[in-house]
Amino acid sequence: MARTVWDSTVGKKTVMAVSGLVMLLYLVAHMIGNLKIFFGTSEFNGYAHWLRTVGEPFMHYEWTLWLVRVVLVVAVVAHAVSAYQLSRRDIKARPSKYVHKKKRASYATRTMRWGGIILALFIVWHILDLTTGTVHSGGFETGKPYQNVVDTFSTWYGNVIYIVAVLAVGLHVRHGFWSAAQTLGAGSRTRDRALKTVANVLALLLTVGFVAVPVGVMTGVVS
């Protein structure tokens, strides 16, 4: 049954919707955590340490964090694979171009695929920068996330990469949230306007919330 559901278009869209909502919940939590950097070094570093001790003593050190990471990896892979397969299926279903051009879709809709690629590349860079320190500038310091964040956003390329990725996140969430709601049956003629408003507000809040950190470093508010 699971294979039958997965092979169907509806099944793949459902996987995309559910995995997308999982990632959206993570983004909201991650943004809130990031904003703690405005309360100072001890607050932000303390929060980073707390993430590694959640669930103790029942859970061992970092077990909860690794559990969250595993769930996120599964969600990202499921989202990407289902999106790719749906895209290929759509192309095969209409191999030739339309004779009459359809009304142009919104910018967010037309850039969902490229936005997904940008985000995938950014996730890799973000991990190598602030988790492993492989590509980090200024000397990565384990256990000092506040200083590591300041180092990253003290470089022009760190700001450019991050802000471009955040803008892609905003566009992705703006279209993806509404699309997921339709797939999961939450949409209707009376609720569509409210769902679109929620999607726009979520996209705006996430964009502003994430961009606030590099802007804070660039302006000297965070130093």
Side-chain angles (χ1 to χ4, degrees), residues 23-93:
M23 291 186 286
L24 178 60
L25 289 174
Y26 168 76
L27 284 173
V28 172
H30 190 41
M31 179 198 69
I32 294 172
N34 281 0
L35 293 177
K36 288 180 178 290
I37 200 168
F38 290 100
F39 295 95
T41 307
S42 59
E43 179 82 12
F44 192 69
N45 288 348
Y47 163 69
H49 177 71
W50 172 80
L51 289 176
R52 289 159 173 76
T53 60
V54 174
E56 288 187 342
F58 179 73
M59 299 291 281
H60 191 63
Y61 182 75
E62 286 196 344
W63 277 14
T64 302
L65 182 60
W66 274 106
L67 180 61
V68 172
R69 287 170 175 169
V70 169
V71 171
L72 282 173
V73 168
V74 172
V76 170
V77 172
H79 198 76
V81 171
S82 54
Y84 173 77
Q85 292 184 354
L86 282 170
S87 176
R88 297 301 302 173
R89 184 170 293 183
D90 184 53
I91 292 172
K92 289 180 180 179

Side-chain angles (χ1 to χ4, degrees), residues 162-163 166-167 206-216 218:
Y162 191 85
I163 291 174
V166 167
L167 293 175
L206 286 171
T207 301
V208 173
F210 279 117
V211 169
V213 177
V215 170
M218 286 189 286

Side-chain angles (χ1 to χ4, degrees), residues 147-177:
Q147 189 57 48
N148 292 334
V149 169
V150 172
D151 288 342
T152 289
F153 297 129
S154 295
T155 62
W156 67 267
Y157 59 86
N159 289 313
V160 170
I161 293 172
Y162 191 85
I163 291 174
V164 169
V166 167
L167 293 175
V169 166
L171 290 172
H172 216 75
V173 168
R174 181 173 177 268
H175 176 73
F177 178 83

Side-chain angles (χ1 to χ4, degrees), residues 8 14 23 42 46 63 66 94 99 103 124 139 177 180 186 196 221:
S8 69
T14 301
M23 291 186 286
S42 59
W63 277 14
W66 274 106
R94 45 183 179 84
V99 176
K103 182 180 178 180
V124 174
F177 178 83
K196 287 183 178 180
V221 175

